[in-house]
Amino acid sequence: MASKIVAALNTELPELTLITPSDSTFEATRACFIKKDSEVPAAIARPQNAQQVQALVQHCIKNGVDFVVRSGGHDCAGRSQIAGALSIDMRDIKHVNISADEKTATVGGGILFRDLVAVLDARGLVTPVGTVASVGYVGWATLGGYGPFSTSHGLGVDQIVGAKLVNAKGELVEADAELLQGIRGGGGIFGVITELTIKVYPLKELFTTLLIYDSSDLKTAWTNYAEGYEKLIAAEPLPRALQLQPFGIELPGLGKVLAIGATWADADQEEGKKWFSKIAALGTCIMNNPEPKSVSAFTAFNETLVVYGSYGRAYTLNLDKYTKKSAEVLAKYTELIPGGGIAVSVHSLRAPAASKESVFGSRVDHLMIELVAMTGVQDLEAKGAEWSRNLVDDLKAADPENVLDSSYVSLLADEDSDFKAIYGAHYDKLVELKKKYDPDNVFKYAVPRLSI
């Protein structure tokens, strides 16, 4: 079957870059963040423009060829890898064109954070991105998009003002308002996104610090932080420029600690330094190293902290707020981290803008708990999964009223995705749009994998 797919593509699309299992670059090209040795594609197509994407989709529809779309390849359950399918690898479509008024940019459907922020940095501009340079922008932004700009400038979905895609008929179209609503939260389930138009903002750099608390008693460290944080936000609103990402993590020379990755997305860095100090005072802080960083440098540094080609997957759930009970569970599982880079990370969304122009579900203040059960150590894969599932179960048991129905679809696997809960009031609209724009489920491997 694979040889037939390759032969047909070579005949019909001779100008297409096609990489087959016999090519020396095949393994390096198919490598994704999550390593799945058994999910070997029949071939990898590397389209160079939207017209080649269109031709590929038309070919697959006409000939009944299974295909999956890859942008960055960072899906946290490895869903951009399908055994025997044609992989449409978008990473060569990575243009960035900034508008004359420097308020928007059009970006290619395969662009990675590192390429996007490099262009914006050079112009003194930013757009919300996540933290790791090798992540694909389109997948991240269209399914939600948490990161250091979530509160200051909004989620990734809130930056999208236009989109071009190849639809289920193989047509290259510009998304209208209705289809844009679905793309903002529904990702690539309506077609292969070849280009997005997104908002950009003037800002030269981020101001960042890593806070590490004395963690000789993790229960005290976590509960002091949680209770202190809730008291702080009750007394005065946190500036929108401030984003906090606590970690339960194992660090060389320090062991298992509570650390906070803090960022300030505003030009007034002295004010940012004051707020870093306020957060440092929520425990016995043994490290606080504020420094300005370009977004390029910030994402490149974070790239060094992850293993590309990891075993395992992510897990997640949303909490309403920090409580003593939730802090005690987080402390317990920080102590129980099995090693290999496995960690717990807490993202936050504060004062999110209400939006009827997207289907993203979690439009309330909340904490998004990310369980990083991905590791370069294969022998720890099962232990990481057990650790994560037990942590989720313990949070639900210890603090049930604090657990929200919604959760982040990007960090769930298909088997634990309750789409009605994830999308909430927008679920029916999402299903309606899927039935309208892709009734035959041509894009069946895109996330979320709806049953229609």
Side-chain angles (χ1 to χ4, degrees):
M1 180 64 178
S3 59
K4 290 182 179 179
I5 292 172
V6 171
L9 284 170
N10 281 332
T11 299
E12 189 170 327
L13 303 170
E15 75 286 355
L16 180 72
T17 300
L18 194 64
I19 303 170
T20 67
S22 62
D23 292 325
S24 61
T25 59
F26 180 79
E27 286 301 322
T29 304
R30 84 174 186 92
C32 290
F33 177 54
I34 300 297
K35 188 174 178 63
K36 288 200 165 185
D37 295 329
S38 61
E39 301 293 335
V40 181
I44 302 168
R46 296 289 294 259
Q48 304 299 300
N49 52 50
Q51 289 69 35
Q52 288 191 347
V53 175
Q54 183 180 17
L56 276 166
V57 173
Q58 289 174 347
H59 174 89
C60 291
I61 293 172
K62 181 176 71 175
N63 295 285
V65 174
D66 241 9
F67 70 94
V68 63
V69 179
R70 176 211 177 128
S71 53
H74 246 274
D75 183 85
C76 287
R79 287 168 290 194
S80 52
Q81 304 167 77
I82 301 293
L86 175 67
S87 174
I88 300 178
D89 185 340
M90 298 289 289
R91 286 177 293 170
D92 287 338
I93 304 179
K94 55 183 180 180
H95 58 272
V96 182
N97 298 314
I98 299 170
S99 64
D101 62 7
E102 295 192 332
K103 291 184 178 180
T104 63
T106 56
V107 302
I111 196 161
L112 307 183
F113 287 168
R114 66 163 62 95
D115 299 314
L116 173 57
V117 299
V119 175
L120 296 181
D121 279 349
R123 298 279 289 271
L125 299 169
V126 298
T127 194
V129 292
T131 56
V132 176
S134 59
V135 171
Y137 177 80
V138 168
W140 172 86
T142 57
L143 289 175
Y146 293 80
F149 299 94
S150 294
T151 300
S152 61
H153 295 78
L155 295 163
V157 289
D158 297 324
Q159 313 311 315
I160 300 168
V161 296
K164 292 181 180 178
L165 68 158
V166 177
N167 66 17
K169 297 178 182 178
E171 302 165 333
L172 180 60
V173 299
E174 188 156 349
D176 61 13
E178 181 181 59
L179 189 50
L180 273 177
Q181 180 188 9
I183 288 170
R184 298 185 187 113
I189 67 171
F190 309 105
V192 185
I193 297 169
T194 60
E195 184 177 89
L196 290 178
T197 302
I198 59 174
K199 300 174 188 176
V200 298
Y201 308 88
L203 186 66
K204 178 183 177 183
E205 60 196 3
L206 282 169
F207 193 51
T208 74
T209 192
L210 178 65
L211 307 173
I212 299 178
Y213 296 109
D214 173 42
S215 300
S216 54
D217 182 340
L218 279 164
K219 181 178 178 180
T220 297
W222 270 104
T223 55
N224 282 351
Y225 175 79
E227 292 176 348
Y229 175 88
E230 293 297 332
K231 287 178 183 177
L232 181 61
I233 64 172
E236 55 182 321
L238 269 61
R240 296 189 74 92
L242 180 67
Q243 194 73 27
L244 304 171
Q245 187 175 354
F247 293 89
I249 193 168
E250 188 169 14
L251 295 176
L254 293 173
K256 296 166 182 176
V257 300
L258 169 60
I260 315 291
T263 53
W264 180 263
D266 187 84
D268 187 352
Q269 295 182 359
E270 284 303 312
E271 184 67 12
K273 189 179 292 185
K274 292 176 185 177
W275 277 94
F276 289 168
S277 295
K278 289 184 180 183
I279 302 303
L282 300 182
T284 303
C285 189
I286 61 174
M287 179 183 289
N288 179 8
N289 57 349
E291 60 177 333
K293 281 186 179 179
S294 68
V295 182
S296 290
F298 175 76
T299 57
F301 172 76
N302 291 326
E303 180 76 26
T304 68
L305 305 179
V306 301
V307 176
Y308 201 86
S310 288
Y311 298 93
R313 49 160 288 204
Y315 297 78
T316 189
L317 82 167
N318 287 346
L319 299 180
D320 178 40
K321 61 184 178 181
Y322 289 108
T323 65
K324 184 177 181 181
K325 290 177 181 178
S326 64
E328 288 175 350
V329 173
L330 293 171
K332 173 184 174 181
Y333 282 89
T334 301
E335 187 66 53
L336 293 173
I337 288 171
I342 292 167
V344 56
S345 170
V346 184
H347 304 258
S348 62
L349 188 63
R350 307 194 317 272
S355 177
K356 294 181 179 179
E357 298 176 346
S358 82
V359 293
F360 181 76
S362 300
R363 294 282 180 181
V364 295
D365 285 30
H366 66 275
L367 305 173
M368 188 267 283
I369 310 297
E370 177 184 7
L371 305 179
V372 185
M374 294 88 84
T375 174
V377 183
Q378 187 172 11
D379 289 346
L380 290 176
E381 180 178 359
K383 290 182 179 179
E386 181 182 19
W387 173 85
S388 298
R389 294 189 184 103
N390 289 343
L391 197 165
V392 168
D393 289 344
D394 277 10
L395 277 174
K396 290 178 177 179
D399 205 9
E401 295 181 358
N402 195 37
V403 176
L404 302 181
D405 290 335
S406 64
S407 51
Y408 189 30
V409 69
S410 291
L411 300 183
L412 293 167
D414 295 334
E415 61 266 24
D416 47 23
S417 292
D418 180 346
F419 295 126
K420 288 186 177 180
I422 290 168
Y423 288 97
H426 300 296
Y427 173 75
D428 289 340
K429 182 64 176 180
L430 182 66
V431 172
E432 173 193 325
L433 292 174
K434 178 68 172 175
K435 289 179 177 179
K436 178 177 180 179
Y437 290 99
D438 186 16
D440 297 324
N441 208 12
V442 170
F443 305 103
K444 61 186 176 184
Y445 293 125
V447 176
R449 292 179 176 170
L450 298 177
S451 298
I452 60 169

